Amino acid sequence: MPTIAVVQGHAAAAGFALALCHDYVLMRSDKGVLYMSEVDLGLPLPEYFGVLFRAKVGSVSARRDVLLGGMKIRGAEAVRLGIVDGAHEGEEEVKEAGMRLGEELGNRKLDGGVYGEMRKGLYPELCGVLGLQVGKPVLPTL
C-alpha cells in the first residue's frame, strides 16, 4: 500500500534514507533538515544508500550536494529539489497534511499486490540490491 513519511524534525543518515523509502515524504518548513552526515564523518555509504538516492533523487547535482557535500536541506529547498512532496509550517500542519494524504490514498482502495509490484517495477536496481524479485506484470485478459 502507499506509504507516507512525515518528518517532524531532523532526518539524518539512516533517518533520511528511511524517509526516502516511502512513496510520499512531507516535512516541516519551520524546523528540521534532511542531512547525510557520512561524508562529514568520514564514513563510506553502503551500496544500497547510493542506489536509493539514485532511484529517489532525480537531480544529479542534488545527489552530489547531499551525498558528497553534506548539504543540510530545509523544507522549501527539499520541495524545490523534488526530494519531498510538501513542506508545512509547524507540527500540527505537517501531521494534518499527512493524515489528509493518507485518507485520500486510502479512499482509492488500491490493490496492494498490484501497487507493490508497480512500485518494485519503478525501482528495479534498488530491488535488485535489496534482493527483492521484481515480478512480471500480469496483463488483463480481453
Side-chain angles (χ1 to χ4, degrees):
M1 300 313 297
T3 59
I4 304 166
V6 175
V7 181
Q8 288 281 3
H10 296 332
F16 189 174
L18 179 61
L20 287 180
C21 289
H22 291 76
D23 299 308
Y24 301 90
V25 182
L26 307 174
M27 70 181 289
R28 289 175 65 165
S29 60
D30 65 325
K31 177 179 173 179
V33 296
L34 304 174
Y35 170 54
M36 290 300 290
S37 57
E38 284 75 1
V39 71
D40 292 329
L41 297 173
L43 299 172
L45 284 178
E47 177 185 9
Y48 55 87
F49 271 36
V51 173
L52 173 65
F53 275 81
R54 283 194 304 277
K56 293 293 195 118
V57 179
S59 165
V60 173
S61 60
R63 286 194 305 264
R64 178 202 59 220
D65 293 347
V66 169
L67 296 174
L68 301 177
M71 178 181 178
K72 294 178 181 166
I73 307 166
R74 297 205 174 272
E77 181 73 357
V79 172
R80 189 184 72 72
L81 293 171
I83 296 172
V84 303
D85 300 288
H88 304 272
E89 189 71 28
E91 180 179 350
E92 285 303 311
E93 290 79 2
V94 73
K95 182 175 76 172
E96 289 170 8
M99 293 298 292
R100 273 192 312 275
L101 179 56
E103 288 170 2
E104 290 168 13
L105 292 167
N107 287 337
R108 293 190 58 200
K109 300 187 184 343
L110 300 169
D111 180 309
V114 170
Y115 190 91
E117 287 303 314
M118 289 177 72
R119 181 191 297 134
K120 288 192 292 187
L122 284 174
Y123 309 111
E125 183 185 9
L126 182 57
C127 290
V129 77
L130 295 174
L132 301 173
Q133 185 174 356
V134 178
K136 293 183 179 179
V138 178
L139 300 175
T141 56
L142 301 176

